Amino acid sequence: MAKIIDGQRLARALRGGLLARAGAIAEQRGAAPGLAVILVGDDAASAVYVRNKIRACEATGIQSTCLRFPSTVSNDELLATIALLNEDAGIDGILVQLPLPPHIALDQVLEAISVEKDVDGFHLYNVGGLVTGNTIFSPCTPYGVVKLLESENIAIEGQNVVVVGASNIVGKPMALMLMARDATVAICHAKTRDLAQFTILADILVVAAGVPGLIIPQMVKTGAVVIDVGINRLPDGRITGDVDFDGVSAKASCITPVPGGVGPMTVTMLMENTIASAERGLVRDDRSAENLAFQE
Ligand code: GUN
């Protein structure tokens, strides 16, 4: 039977350290790290995610501000709001909850966010930085997966990794982050023919397809590490992942449950990025103070 990787427990452990770092920042500059969350429209899942993020802020000593807009909000109003937040010294991180309504120019909105405050890691600079190794903030879900693998001492270098799902938020950055750690990575997606011929080769299988029960035991190599990023709501209201958990558990060496696996880590990495942003701000402030002293 596979070992169950407890994301909830790791997230809780990490949050203790984050709270201490947030406290140190508050002491040094007289204000807690600040996260602004922009929520547009009334998508039920988005509302739940945002509520979880705000709760996690409370648990880690981050001051959160939630700005809600109706789904009819204009592109210009969103851009103007982001411009104000970029200039606001009390805000270290800006997050625009996705999806946005179709009339909003998503790329424009994401690129309006200051790279220094892009704690979701969705700005083109941070996306490109994943290729070159210059990223400031890594996107939270793949970052959380890397932390889970590291916490279990699972080797990444030289391993065959298969990522199922090629989204901008999870699949593509996940593949780049694991390539940066010298894994051999294949990305599969909805158009992949005979998915199983790829997944069966994986030492580490990361599944982010949004299809409940997509991965069955016959598709998994004995002893593989299986990371389930899927969050699907069943007709009876239960949440389930993309992996047949009971079947695949009998074959894998380690597996993440849903809920309680990757999900809590995603939110925790958002807190990590926000606190790291505030710490970077303090270093910047110190440097400009030193430069001023030098000029005097
Ligand atoms: N919608 C689904 N996942 C995410 C995420 O990680 N960040 C944001 N901003 N929106 C999302």
Side-chain angles (χ1 to χ4, degrees), residues 7-160:
Q8 190 77 52
R9 200 183 60 193
L10 179 61
R12 215 179 294 125
L14 292 174
R15 285 179 192 186
L18 293 174
L19 182 62
R21 281 165 67 191
I25 292 163
E27 196 156 301
Q28 209 175 328
R29 70 176 195 189
L35 174 68
V37 179
I38 296 177
L39 176 59
V40 179
D42 39 32
D43 181 78
S46 288
V48 173
Y49 291 141
V50 165
R51 198 171 63 223
N52 287 341
K53 289 169 188 180
I54 288 171
R55 278 203 196 127
C57 283
E58 286 160 13
T60 50
I62 295 172
Q63 176 75 45
S64 67
T65 309
C66 185
L67 303 165
R68 290 165 204 273
F69 293 92
S71 57
T72 51
V73 68
S74 71
N75 216 47
D76 285 349
E77 195 175 352
L78 279 186
L79 293 178
T81 303
I82 291 169
L84 286 175
L85 294 169
N86 282 340
E87 294 305 317
D88 186 336
I91 298 294
D92 301 289
I94 303 170
L95 176 150
V96 179
Q97 185 65 31
L98 305 181
L100 290 174
H103 69 278
I104 301 290
L106 175 64
D107 292 355
Q108 257 182 33
V109 167
L110 295 181
E111 273 130 60
I113 297 172
S114 158
V115 171
E116 299 289 346
K117 298 189 178 186
D118 176 37
V119 289
D120 240 348
F122 292 169
H123 187 287
L124 264 191
Y125 178 92
N126 279 318
V127 175
L130 290 174
V131 174
T132 59
N134 290 316
T135 201
I136 299 175
F137 299 111
S138 297
C140 302
T141 299
Y143 190 15
V145 171
V146 168
K147 287 273 184 194
L148 275 176
L149 294 172
E150 286 175 353
S151 80
E152 295 294 323
N153 292 317
I154 293 166
I156 297 173
E157 184 183 305
Q159 299 298 296
N160 287 343

